[in-house]
Amino acid sequence: MTATGREATAKAGPAKAWTGSEKEGTGSATDGAVPERDAAVERAGGGGPEALRTRAVDALTVARERTALLTSCVEDGELTAQHSPLMSPLVWDLAHIGNQEEQWLWRAVAGRDALRPEIDSLYDAFEHPRATRPSLPLLAPGEARAYAADVRLRVLDVLESTPLEGRPLLDDGFAFGMIAQHEQQHDETMLITHQLRRGPAVLTAPPPPVLRSGPLPSEVLVPGGPFTMGTSDEPWALDNERPAHARVVPAFFVDTTPVTNGAFLAFMADGGYTDRRWWRGEGWAQIREHGIEAPLFWRRDGGQWLRRRFGVTEPVPEDEPVLHVSWYEADAYARWAGRRLPTEVEWEKAARHDPVSGRSRRYPWGDADPGPEHANLGQRHLRPAAAGSYPEGASPLGVRQLIGDVWEWTASDFLPYPGFTAFPYKEYSEVFFGPEHKVLRGGSFAVDPVACRGTFRNWDLPVRRQIFSGFRTARTAEFD
């Protein structure tokens, strides 16, 4: 159910579009920035059933506002068009969001009769590959909006009257949290589609704030020893994040920040894309077959490199984390630099482990939900922040930007944790386990906080480049 190159799906009065009157400034509903949610509501993890109910309503509402933003900023013709065979038409995502909400919250939770059973197969991601979806008899934009809005009104009534306990789907409001995450993941998918579409810019957002301190070390030592990976008590954690389990990790060094465009340009200038030594066989075949010589959306113009970002062409900013690179590109850079990608367990230890207390935090900065001072999340900005930003979001060891900005490729295959149990259905994670998919961690500027935490696991094919992916490197600590 990630919002990257593979599918986000779940089996089994309408929110108004944001008008730009919130914290991030003013604008119209076509502005690409999503406003801040109420921090008191966002951090209402405790306080009993009513606090959980409030949090679920807030999460669902924020997700729907973002969905409205992403589907109201273009004409209907662009909603029904397929902007890339890698992605669905935007109108498919819109109706799919409503259909999954109906199946899980209206039918499974409330036990009500299906509203539109005849469309279930149209919006089943496993039944129809993305490239074929434009040929399906999809709901028209107006009908899709009306359907999703009708489902939402019914679901809010269900949420108001349903005990948030008594069975696994309801405990701690899990089903409502799962659907809020599902919608936000599809919103990220739709933002990827907006990046792929050609034409003038329709989304805008302010640049990330400059939140940096003084000079930083290039790498940080993470001491060896045990730590607790995963979670057994995060209420809305998904099945692949569970259960919590002990891991022993040898000492290693990890980059203080994600690898920047400037550093990646040095790899390119040194012939990185033409030197077979740095590439695995499958990656070398991929770049040769497709003529890849730079991150996706980059092009050379005379003596400089430009990038296309949501309809705007601009010089590549050297201080930002590199974006739109495949696992193979990340791995090749790491080899060129004499380093490697961190494993998934190394990444999580760097992000969560507190060496003083020995406990694993929810986030690098602690247990509080993300705020704008911690990380670049939630589509507040349509680009990564400069490397070294967000000092208040650093880990106890001083590693920066582990949450937000760019999804970070790791060296690891997507595999189950010891004691894994599929829930609420095996197609969520289990069918994707294996060496075909690589794990990404940390979220990106396009990820909402509800779908981002220190234990959250994303995964994708190693060839994917349209996703908001970057990386940092690591090396094993060797002591005399």
Side-chain angles (χ1 to χ4, degrees), residues 285-329:
Q286 177 79 4
I287 66 166
R288 303 302 289 177
E289 178 182 354
H290 297 281
I292 296 170
E293 62 174 8
L296 188 61
F297 306 115
W298 286 26
R299 65 177 176 85
R300 189 192 295 273
D301 181 31
Q304 69 173 339
W305 283 94
L306 305 177
R307 71 176 181 185
R308 180 168 59 84
R309 182 179 60 85
F310 299 106
V312 175
T313 298
E314 60 192 12
V316 170
E318 295 196 15
D319 61 348
E320 284 185 14
V322 68
L323 189 64
H324 296 302
V325 291
S326 70
W327 185 89
Y328 292 121
E329 289 167 287

Side-chain angles (χ1 to χ4, degrees), residues 186-203:
H186 269 277
D187 289 341
E188 184 181 1
T189 299
M190 289 193 284
L191 192 63
I192 294 169
T193 302
H194 274 282
Q195 169 63 10
L196 285 162
R197 75 175 272 279
R198 295 284 183 173
V202 296
L203 296 170

Side-chain angles (χ1 to χ4, degrees), residues 74-404:
V74 292
E75 300 294 332
D76 283 0
E78 292 210 60
L79 294 178
T80 58
Q82 186 170 49
H83 298 282
S84 166
L86 295 171
M87 311 302 289
S88 307
L90 292 167
V91 74
W92 187 94
D93 289 288
L94 175 59
H96 171 80
I97 287 167
N99 184 250
Q100 296 303 294
E101 188 167 324
E102 183 201 338
Q103 290 194 49
W104 280 105
L105 301 183
W106 182 249
R107 302 183 203 173
V109 168
R112 305 296 180 87
D113 291 338
L115 301 174
R116 297 289 301 268
E118 77 281 4
I119 69 172
D120 288 356
S121 65
L122 294 177
Y123 298 100
D124 185 332
F126 289 93
E127 188 171 338
H128 302 289
R130 287 176 172 175
T132 69
R133 291 174 190 168
S135 65
L136 299 174
L138 303 176
L139 300 184
E143 191 177 7
R145 289 190 185 97
Y147 168 60
D150 179 42
V151 172
R152 175 54 56 86
L153 285 174
R154 296 168 187 264
V155 160
L156 291 177
D157 287 340
V158 170
L159 177 55
E160 184 177 354
S161 61
T162 300
L164 300 182
E165 59 184 358
R167 53 188 172 118
L169 268 181
L170 289 177
D171 289 345
D172 295 316
F174 175 81
F176 297 95
M178 178 183 73
I179 288 300
Q181 291 177 81
H182 173 261
E183 181 162 356
Q184 285 287 3
Q185 289 160 349
H186 269 277
D187 289 341
E188 184 181 1
T189 299
M190 289 193 284
L191 192 63
I192 294 169
T193 302
H194 274 282
Q195 169 63 10
L196 285 162
R197 75 175 272 279
R198 295 284 183 173
V202 296
L203 296 170
T204 61
V210 178
L211 297 173
R212 286 186 284 185
S213 51
L216 297 172
S218 62
E219 62 181 2
V220 170
L221 173 64
V222 180
F227 96 107
T228 300
M229 186 174 190
T231 181
S232 295
D233 55 15
E234 181 74 28
W236 292 354
L238 305 169
D239 62 359
N240 61 67
E241 301 171 63
R242 301 173 181 269
H245 58 286
R247 300 293 293 266
V248 177
V249 185
F252 65 98
F253 288 91
V254 67
D255 289 340
T256 304
T257 72
V259 170
T260 64
N261 290 322
F264 203 83
L265 281 165
F267 164 70
M268 293 165 57
D270 196 42
Y273 278 95
T274 58
D275 193 331
R276 176 69 180 80
R277 290 178 297 167
W278 314 128
W279 296 84
R280 296 177 188 261
E282 305 92 332
W284 182 251
Q286 177 79 4
I287 66 166
R288 303 302 289 177
E289 178 182 354
H290 297 281
I292 296 170
E293 62 174 8
L296 188 61
F297 306 115
W298 286 26
R299 65 177 176 85
R300 189 192 295 273
D301 181 31
Q304 69 173 339
W305 283 94
L306 305 177
R307 71 176 181 185
R308 180 168 59 84
R309 182 179 60 85
F310 299 106
V312 175
T313 298
E314 60 192 12
V316 170
E318 295 196 15
D319 61 348
E320 284 185 14
V322 68
L323 189 64
H324 296 302
V325 291
S326 70
W327 185 89
Y328 292 121
E329 289 167 287
D331 180 69
Y333 173 93
R335 290 165 176 258
W336 169 81
R339 297 171 68 83
R340 57 177 174 81
L341 296 179
T343 65
E344 182 182 16
V345 65
E346 286 174 334
W347 188 97
E348 187 167 324
K349 184 170 185 180
R352 300 184 62 213
H353 181 64
D354 183 345
V356 175
S357 68
R359 64 182 291 269
S360 291
R361 300 172 164 193
R362 293 180 68 215
Y363 299 95
W365 55 84
D367 293 336
D369 285 345
E373 72 278 14
H374 295 127
N376 181 7
L377 290 168
Q379 200 181 313
R380 291 192 296 266
H381 316 290
L382 289 171
R383 63 195 299 169
S389 295
Y390 299 102
E392 292 189 51
S395 76
L397 294 170
V399 187
R400 299 281 182 96
Q401 292 166 286
L402 286 156
I403 298 294

